Amino acid sequence: MRAFQLVEWQKPPELREVPVPEPGPGQVLVKVAGAGACHSDLHIMQAPPPPPAPGDGMRLPFTLGHENAGWVETLGPGVTGFAPGDPVLVYGPWGCGLCANCREGRENYCQKTAGLGGGLDGQDGGMAEYLLVPASRFLLPLGTLDPREAAPLSDAGLTSYHAVKRSLHLLGPGSTAVVIGAGGLGQMAIQILRALSAATTVVAVDTAADKLETAKRMGADEALLSGDQAVTRIKDITRGQGAELVLDMVGVDPTLRMAAQVARVLGHLTIVGLGGGVVPVNFSSPPHECSVASPYWGFIPELMEVITLAQQEKIKVLVEHFPLERAGEAYQLLQDGKIQGRAVIIPNP
């Protein structure tokens, strides 16, 4: 089968021929319908070689793609609850299944594997014709949803959902939520805020006018070009108090400085983006008792809730499809900021 693999550190991935994996006990082979291209993949491609780790560590080559959906192809011995042909979404962070966090469905915070999964830590991901999933608990039924459209729900949808849900108690009537970055994750966050919260005002901030137009269509009340004027406008909207929730989906120094400026006392400043920036911290910034957090992905039960929202048509992913042989082009467009929502690689046209 064909697979889009990282072969050398800091070198472009390659489309290669590799064997189709055989599922062992408890495992499931999935025929991949769609694999989302994520900014975190770009970080992996550009990263220097990791330091030596105990055991095998992260080894090359491995197949990229941690945001996957498809159809059950083959069940390994002992697997029940699924049948060949079932459309499924693949939960991305593959935990050990045994620690306290995993037992609660919080495999993204696994105490043994750090919640890393296929396409992220040296295990093969879904940018291939087939994906070997290590345990059936990582598969969630999609029902009537098209897996070629639904793949981004497993990361862009789940990550945004988890980031919003932890702050719902702050988002009562009259509250304000600010989403900095109106790309794939930001668009999902705007829709999820609309679906779950009573926030009166949802504000989108971005540097690209076309993404702000998309944010308005997704439900944002205000769409502001990033800069000092955006800070002033948010202060005006909130009567000088700042927003109850600020979601930074970018995470670079300028966006984090803005986030600290527009958050309010006792609010939440949530860093979702992997830009590597630093929040300025002193006695008055962020505002007093403003909680700063960097959540990672989400829980398995939350992914079930995300699927339900999609089935109810309360959230929708804006996707652009690319065949597997154009995966490199898709990542370049993502790097250049030219993907409106989510690029989804289609290995099996």
Side-chain angles (χ1 to χ4, degrees), residues 58-73:
M58 184 184 291
R59 296 187 297 176
L60 299 179
F62 68 90
T63 304
L64 294 168
H66 58 270
E67 193 177 69
N68 306 302
W71 304 276
V72 171
E73 179 74 10

Side-chain angles (χ1 to χ4, degrees), residues 210-211 320 322 330 332-341:
D210 57 343
K211 290 183 179 178
E320 186 173 348
F322 294 82
Q332 186 60 56
L333 292 170
L334 180 64
Q335 176 78 60
D336 295 341
K338 295 181 179 178
I339 299 293
Q340 271 293 316

Side-chain angles (χ1 to χ4, degrees), residues 26-278:
Q27 299 177 336
V28 180
L29 186 68
V30 172
K31 183 177 182 180
V32 179
C38 178
H39 271 96
S40 57
D41 299 330
L42 295 174
H43 290 286
I44 293 172
M45 295 176 195
Q46 298 161 2
D56 291 338
M58 184 184 291
R59 296 187 297 176
L60 299 179
F62 68 90
T63 304
L64 294 168
H66 58 270
E67 193 177 69
N68 306 302
W71 304 276
V72 171
E73 179 74 10
T74 308
L75 302 175
V79 176
T80 60
F82 294 96
D86 285 351
V88 290
L89 191 64
V90 183
Y91 179 72
W94 297 344
C96 70
L98 300 173
C99 70
N101 289 346
C102 285
R103 293 289 192 179
E104 294 178 346
R106 303 180 180 191
E107 303 221 13
N108 52 318
Y109 297 137
C110 176
Q111 295 163 302
K112 295 183 179 179
T113 68
L116 295 171
L120 285 176
D121 67 345
Q123 299 182 74
D124 288 329
M127 288 199 180
E129 294 174 50
Y130 295 94
L131 168 65
L132 183 64
V133 179
S136 61
R137 71 179 185 277
F138 300 132
L139 299 181
L140 288 86
L142 279 173
T144 58
L145 295 178
D146 184 343
R148 290 164 294 193
E149 305 290 327
L153 294 175
S154 65
D155 184 1
L158 176 58
T159 298
S160 300
Y161 185 87
H162 180 69
V164 169
K165 189 175 180 182
R166 64 181 295 275
S167 302
L168 283 180
H169 63 286
L170 300 178
L171 300 177
S175 62
T176 300
V178 175
V179 179
I180 301 175
L185 269 74
Q187 293 165 16
M188 294 303 302
I190 290 165
Q191 295 178 79
I192 290 164
L193 282 163
R194 282 287 172 233
L196 297 188
S197 81
T200 300
T201 306
V202 176
V203 181
V205 181
D206 203 285
T207 58
D210 57 343
K211 290 183 179 178
L212 291 175
E213 286 299 319
T214 301
K216 291 280 284 186
R217 293 197 300 271
M218 295 290 187
D221 299 291
E222 296 260 355
L224 307 174
L225 284 170
S226 185
D228 292 341
Q229 290 184 339
V231 174
T232 300
R233 178 59 183 150
I234 293 168
K235 290 289 190 178
D236 289 343
I237 292 169
T238 61
R239 298 181 177 86
Q241 297 299 305
E244 279 79 3
L245 171 62
V246 182
L247 294 167
D248 188 343
M249 319 305 271
V250 184
V252 295
D253 284 337
T255 59
L256 289 169
R257 282 196 299 270
M258 175 184 293
Q261 287 177 287
V262 301
R264 71 182 295 152
V265 170
L266 296 172
H268 279 181
L269 193 171
T270 302
I271 306 167
V272 180
L274 301 178
V278 178

